């Protein structure tokens, strides 16, 4: 090979070798790790379940609809009936399991009548049965062991202040949260006495925030007082309780990102026979609120991503 041809051959090899090092479909360029990168904080979803006695079966429908769309709350807080459903859900029962439990529930199983005529009582129901029912349903797990962080709101009878139970006996906390004055006897825990959380937080939105929720989905099952007029003593007491909670309820729900209000019509708080219709109403209301829920979650996630980018 002549010197000229040898020189051209060597030059060609050098050019080809250089080309193979250029970035292309099969080449990779080492990336330096970003300095001080901060991953966006996951958006925590809080589910705040309100009180409303038998109307609380609607909470189950809401949970089923959320699960159907792949939305799983990171924490749950409940008042009264909301604490019952919330505890069962946070302990690991999904929406379909809750539905089955509701339809199988015997009202007598959670009703333990006191005898006010012969005993010094301040309620027609003792509440021990609902405590036993909840503890059995959650396999006697203490609240702090639940897969989903859970809180139950009750009212300190002496001070009138709210208390958020997050540890200890789940059934007892739910019993205290559900102790509607005049219906259930007050619950003594330690040296304090507690009654229904609906007196101070009918829909516990602020407590969902306190537990760390970024987006709060509130479920309001309270009724308009005019829809609850009844002649029985139990209906009258629940009606009175509903009236008392109206103004507090409006203030509380103003801080929620999404408020789901199942269309329960004139269903009374004592109507356990309407449980299936209540569950369906909860599903429908949550499905209708889904675009708003997704928009709130998207905005919250974008906000977290922007905040993380600024902190780099």
């Amino acid at each position: 090979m002549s010197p000229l041809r040898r020189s051209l051959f060597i030059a060609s090899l050098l050019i080809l070798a250089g080309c193979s090092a250029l970035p292309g479909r099969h080449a990779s360029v080492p990336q330096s790790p970003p300095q001080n990168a901060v991953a966006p904080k996951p958006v925590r979803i809080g589910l705040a379940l309100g009180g409303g006695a038998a109307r609380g079966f609607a909470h189950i429908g809401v949970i089923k609809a959320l699960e159907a769309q792949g939305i799983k709350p990171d924490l749950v807080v409940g008042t009264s009936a909301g604490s019952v459903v919330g505890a069962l859900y946070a302990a690991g029962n999904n929406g379909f399991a809750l539905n089955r439990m509701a339809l199988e529930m015997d009202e007598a199983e959670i009703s333990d009548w006191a005898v006010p005529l012969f005993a010094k009582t301040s309620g027609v129901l003792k509440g021990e049965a609902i405590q036993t029912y909840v503890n059995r349903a959650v396999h006697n797990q203490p609240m702090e062991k639940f897969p989903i962080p859970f809180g139950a709101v009750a009212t300190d009878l002496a001070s009138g202040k709210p208390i958020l139970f997050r540890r200890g006996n789940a059934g007892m906390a739910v019993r205290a949260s559900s102790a509607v004055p005049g219906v259930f006897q007050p619950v003594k825990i330690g040296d304090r006495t507690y009654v229904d959380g609906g007196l101070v937080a009918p829909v516990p939105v602020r407590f969902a925030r306190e537990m760390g929720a970024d987006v709060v989905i509130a479920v309001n099952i309270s009724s308009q007082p005019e829809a609850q007029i009844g002649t029985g003593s139990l209906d009258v007491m629940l009606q009175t309780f509903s009236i008392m909670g109206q103004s507090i309820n409006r203030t509380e729900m103003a801080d929620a990102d999404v408020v789901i209000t199942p269309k329960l019509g004139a269903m009374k708080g004592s109507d356990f026979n309407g449980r299936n219709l209540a569950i369906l109403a909860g599903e429908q209301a949550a499905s209708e609120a889904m675009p708003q829920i997704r928009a709130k979650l998207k905005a919250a996630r974008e906000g977290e991503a922007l905040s993380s980018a600024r902190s780099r």
Side-chain angles (χ1 to χ4, degrees):
M1 183 182 294
S2 68
L4 177 58
R5 286 187 176 181
R6 186 166 51 251
S7 298
L8 289 173
F9 178 71
I10 293 172
S12 299
L13 289 176
L14 290 174
I15 290 171
L16 289 173
C19 289
S20 67
L22 291 176
R25 276 201 296 179
H26 305 290
S28 61
V29 178
Q31 298 290 327
S32 299
Q35 299 298 313
N36 301 320
V38 179
K41 180 172 72 72
V43 171
R44 287 171 60 80
I45 304 171
L47 187 60
L49 305 177
R55 294 165 66 94
F57 287 109
H59 291 316
I60 296 172
V62 171
I63 290 168
K64 288 176 65 179
L66 291 175
E67 288 182 338
Q69 296 297 318
I71 297 172
K72 183 178 179 181
D74 298 287
L75 59 94
V76 182
V77 58
T79 292
S80 199
S83 74
V84 179
V85 176
L88 301 183
Y89 178 53
N93 296 290
N94 64 21
F96 286 100
L98 293 175
N99 199 138
R100 185 182 65 253
M101 293 165 73
L103 297 182
E104 292 174 351
M105 180 186 288
D106 182 355
E107 187 178 351
E109 191 177 11
I110 59 170
S111 302
D112 46 359
W113 296 92
V115 189
L117 184 61
F118 302 107
K120 293 182 179 179
T121 63
S122 52
V124 297
L125 296 172
K126 291 183 287 186
E128 294 172 358
I130 195 168
Q131 176 177 332
T132 300
Y133 175 84
V134 169
N135 279 334
R136 184 171 61 247
V138 304
H139 307 292
N140 291 306
Q141 292 181 87
M143 289 182 284
E144 65 270 21
K145 297 292 186 180
F146 287 179
I148 302 174
F150 170 70
V153 180
T155 304
D156 186 310
L157 187 58
S159 68
K161 294 181 179 179
I163 176 75
L164 179 66
F165 291 108
R166 295 193 60 187
R167 302 180 62 82
N169 189 304
M172 185 169 284
V174 168
R175 177 185 172 190
S177 180
S178 306
V180 179
V183 179
F184 286 93
Q185 296 174 6
V187 180
K188 190 166 185 179
I189 301 176
D191 61 351
R192 310 296 294 181
T193 302
Y194 301 97
V195 292
D196 196 289
L199 287 168
V200 287
V203 183
V205 174
R206 58 182 162 137
F207 290 102
R209 296 283 185 203
E210 185 179 299
M211 288 173 65
D214 300 302
V215 174
V216 176
I217 301 171
V219 186
N220 174 32
I221 56 168
S222 64
S223 62
Q224 293 301 315
E226 61 271 16
Q228 288 288 295
I229 297 174
T231 55
S233 58
L234 180 58
D235 288 334
V236 170
M237 283 186 280
L238 292 173
Q239 161 90 343
T240 303
F241 206 65
S242 177
I243 293 170
M244 291 170 60
Q246 290 298 305
S247 59
I248 301 173
N249 217 8
R250 286 191 291 270
T251 302
E252 189 86 2
M253 290 189 296
D255 192 37
D257 294 284
V258 179
V259 177
I260 298 173
T261 305
K263 297 175 182 176
L264 298 170
M267 179 183 179
K268 291 181 171 56
S270 58
D271 183 10
F272 275 76
N273 292 327
R275 68 191 78 180
N276 195 47
L277 291 177
I279 292 171
L280 292 173
E283 284 190 71
Q284 182 178 358
S287 297
E288 291 173 353
M290 206 57 65
Q292 184 185 6
I293 293 171
R294 291 199 179 283
K296 291 289 184 179
L297 291 175
K298 180 181 178 183
R301 287 165 181 151
E302 289 175 349
E304 284 296 338
L306 182 59
S307 176
S308 298
R310 287 174 175 170
S311 63
R312 291 177 183 176

